[in-house]
Each structure stands twice: as C-alpha cells, then as structure tokens.
C-alpha cells in the first residue's frame, strides 16, 4: 500500500487505501456526523482503520470542503459545521500522526491531472460544477503552491455587469459575502436561481437540462452555458491550460461537454483555439485519491 486518503463531505466521510498503481484496494464509507466534535472523532476513527490495514506511518491525506486561514488555522466552510474551529490542529491532535490537508476541489484537480482525464497533459485545470463551483490548477503533475490559501476559489469571480444586465439578473450576495459571484447563478442551486430570474418559474437544474431544447428552458440553458463559458475564458486568459476537466453534478448532464466547448469557443478571440474540455473519469475516488497523492508527494518532497 502506497498511501491513503480520507474524503470528508457534507454527507459522508470516505477512507480509501491505494496500492502502488494508485487504484483503491479497500474503502470504508461512513455518514458525516452532525456535530463538530463527532466529525473530528469520526475522521480519527477512519485514520485508525487505515493504520490497522496498512502501517502507522503510511502517508494519509485528508480532503475537506472549504478553506483554512493560513495563520490562525481556522476553517471556513459552508455545508459542514467546522467554520470558526481550528479543524486541522484538532484533527492532528485526535490522530496523533502527521497528515496532509487539501481542499476537495484541489484534490479533484490533482487526481484528474495525474490519474484521470488530464493524465497526458502538462497543464490541467480541474473545474467542479456542483453545489458549489471551485477548482485547481495543476502543472506537471503538481498543484500550484498556495501563497495565501485561496487559489482555486474560482466560483467567486464576479459575473460581468454586461451579463447580469443581458439576462436581467438581480444582484445577489453569495454565501462567501461577496456580491454576484459566478457560484450564485451558475452552480447547481445557482441554475435554479437563474431559471427563476429568467422565466419567473421554479425549475431545478435537472429539469432545465432535460428540457433545454424547448422554451423557456432553452433560454436558461443558453444563459448558463454563456456564464460558464465566460468563467472558462477568464481562466484561459489567466493560465491557458491544455485541458479543463469538468467534475461535480452538473458535469454529468449528457452533452454538457459539447455545449460548454461551444460556449468557450464563442467567448474566445477569433482565430484562437481553446483548451480541450473533458469529463472527469476518476469517479468517486477523485477526492480521496487526490488527497492521498498530495500526502505522498509531500512525504517524498520532505528533506
Ligand atoms: Zn462568493
């Protein structure tokens, strides 16, 4: 066994152990407890499970939703009760062994870039389109190192005023405290808000996707594609990756890759190509495998 990962989300905490070929050999999934203390305890028990099946010093990475302030080490997350807590130091104390931490979107990007849909490319942007929007940029098999701890928070770019105006979108304060973030209109729940603004009806993202060839859903769908196309062209102007790997619930909509490829090409300057947009192929293992790989890299980088 080469490394292990623990993927903590709002509904489950999954531990996976990886062999030398980076395929998962064993996994154990438990429900995410409701309280902070129980979550810390549950992660420590998952670590015990890994150590009992491997060795106490196997590299272990933990991927979690949200951010951690670099100096105070305080967690900021929206769908788990860790906000305001010194989550990483509490986990380390409960486990009593060194572990690596990584944001879930960054873990996804690393896993897909190294083992998944981006594995033959030098530069890969992982883009999660789900309950939230986030990502990570991987160059030569490594995430760009964080300077301040917020690299990849790309769902919180502001939607350009011309698009807010074009679709008549009311201004919205995002869960992050900023105003008119892409996440507010282009995430899964965001598509619902977009549909309400454009059609006046309550339509969820699944309904919009399934009915996108007819009115009024077509207008919502094309607005959503234009929003994601705009987000991706900004990222392309910034890092110009060879490949963009899509993950998250909205990336599973049939035909979404082609629709977003067209949207990005429309947003691109005339005469220039665009990054190759691909769907993730790491399945449910991406978070845990990215975390395990980050821990393995950190161990091998150590002097
Ligand atoms: Zn935001």
């Amino acid at each position: 066994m080469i490394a292990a990962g623990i993927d903590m989300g709002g509904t489950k905490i999954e531990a996976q152990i990886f062999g030398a070929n980076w395929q998962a050999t064993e996994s154990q999934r438990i429900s995410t407890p409701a309280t902070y203390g129980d979550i810390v305890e549950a992660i420590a028990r998952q670590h015990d499970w890994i150590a009992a099946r491997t060795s106490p010093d196997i590299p272990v990475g933990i991927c979690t939703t949200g951010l951690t302030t670099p100096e105070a080490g305080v967690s900021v997350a929206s769908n788990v009760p860790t906000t305001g807590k010194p989550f990483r130091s509490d986990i380390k104390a409960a486990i009593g062994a060194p572990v690596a931490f990584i944001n879930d979107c960054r873990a996804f990007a690393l896993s897909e870039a190294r083992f998944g849909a981006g594995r033959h490319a030098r530069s890969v942007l992982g883009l999660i389109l789900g309950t939230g929007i986030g990502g990570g940029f991987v160059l030569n098999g490594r995430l760009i190192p964080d300077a301040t701890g917020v690299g990849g928070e790309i769902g919180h770019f502001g939607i350009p005023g011309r698009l807010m105006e074009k679709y008549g979108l009311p201004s919205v304060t995002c869960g992050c405290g900023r105003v008119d973030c892409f996440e507010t209109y282009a995430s899964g729940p965001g598509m619902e808000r977009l549909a309400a603004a454009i059609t006046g009806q309550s339509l969820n993202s699944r309904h919009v996707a399934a009915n996108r060839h007819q009115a009024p859903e077509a207008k919502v769908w094309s607005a959503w594609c234009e929003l994601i196309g705009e987000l991706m062209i900004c990222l392309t102007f910034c890092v110009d990756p060879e490949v963009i790997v899509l993950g998250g619930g909205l990336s599973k909509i049939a035909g979404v890759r082609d629709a977003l490829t067209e949207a990005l090409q429309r947003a691109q300057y005339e005469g220039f190509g665009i990054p190759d947009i691909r769907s993730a192929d790491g399945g449910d293992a991406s978070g845990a495998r990215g975390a395990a790989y980050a821990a393995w890299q950190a161990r091998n980088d150590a002097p």
Side-chain angles (χ1 to χ4, degrees):
M1 299 304 110
I2 194 164
I6 300 173
D7 180 4
M8 188 196 99
T11 57
K12 49 104 183 153
I13 301 173
E14 180 148 17
Q16 297 196 328
I17 298 169
F18 296 90
N21 61 359
W22 289 95
Q23 295 301 312
T25 57
E26 276 189 278
S27 66
Q28 173 169 271
R29 180 181 286 212
I30 58 176
S31 298
T32 304
T35 66
Y36 177 71
D38 289 345
I39 288 175
V40 171
E41 181 63 23
I43 291 174
R45 294 291 77 78
Q46 288 289 59
H47 188 275
D48 290 346
W49 178 83
I50 290 166
R53 272 154 187 77
T54 57
S55 68
D57 66 346
I58 187 172
V60 178
I62 299 178
C63 95
T64 62
T65 175
L67 299 175
T68 302
T69 62
E71 282 182 18
V74 171
S75 170
V76 183
S78 57
N79 65 346
V80 283
T82 57
T83 295
K85 309 281 190 186
F87 186 55
R88 294 185 176 188
S89 56
D90 284 348
I91 292 287
K92 279 183 183 162
I95 287 177
V99 285
F101 291 94
I102 185 170
N103 163 278
D104 53 359
C105 298
R106 262 62 98 198
F108 163 81
L110 184 58
S111 178
E112 287 296 327
R114 183 65 183 75
F115 309 107
R119 63 187 171 277
H120 300 301
R122 282 186 62 222
S123 56
V124 177
L125 180 87
L127 176 59
I128 298 264
L129 303 172
T131 313
I133 295 180
F137 181 61
V138 179
L139 182 64
N140 295 325
R142 286 175 178 275
L143 282 161
I144 289 189
D146 259 0
T148 69
V150 298
E153 290 301 295
I154 53 192
H156 303 283
F157 286 4
I159 299 172
R162 64 180 159 72
L163 292 180
M164 296 292 289
E165 202 174 312
K166 177 176 177 181
Y167 293 108
L169 306 180
S171 202
V172 179
T173 301
C174 179
C176 77
R178 289 163 55 83
V179 176
D180 300 343
C181 296
F182 274 91
E183 188 165 294
T184 62
Y185 280 109
S187 63
M191 202 195 286
E192 232 172 297
R193 184 180 278 126
L194 186 66
I198 290 175
T199 69
Q201 297 175 41
S202 175
L203 309 171
N204 67 29
S205 56
R206 190 171 300 179
H207 174 92
V208 171
N211 296 281
R212 63 184 185 266
H213 300 298
Q214 64 191 50
E217 290 84 355
K219 197 171 172 196
V220 180
W221 179 256
S222 73
W224 180 78
C225 289
E226 186 169 4
L227 286 175
I228 300 296
E230 176 68 23
L231 179 60
M232 291 193 299
I233 197 65
C234 293
L235 296 164
T236 304
F237 289 160
C238 194
V239 294
D240 203 1
E242 279 176 53
V243 173
I244 297 175
V245 182
L246 303 177
L250 298 176
S251 75
K252 298 191 172 81
I253 296 170
V256 73
R257 195 181 71 87
D258 292 343
L260 293 181
T261 296
E262 278 172 33
L264 179 54
Q265 189 65 66
R266 267 197 299 276
Q268 174 64 297
Y269 291 134
E270 186 78 35
F272 287 82
I274 56 168
D276 189 8
I277 299 177
R278 299 180 189 163
S279 303
D281 67 11
D284 276 357
S286 277
R289 183 158 50 198
Y293 188 64
W296 182 86
Q297 280 185 324
R299 175 75 59 88
N300 286 285
D301 285 348

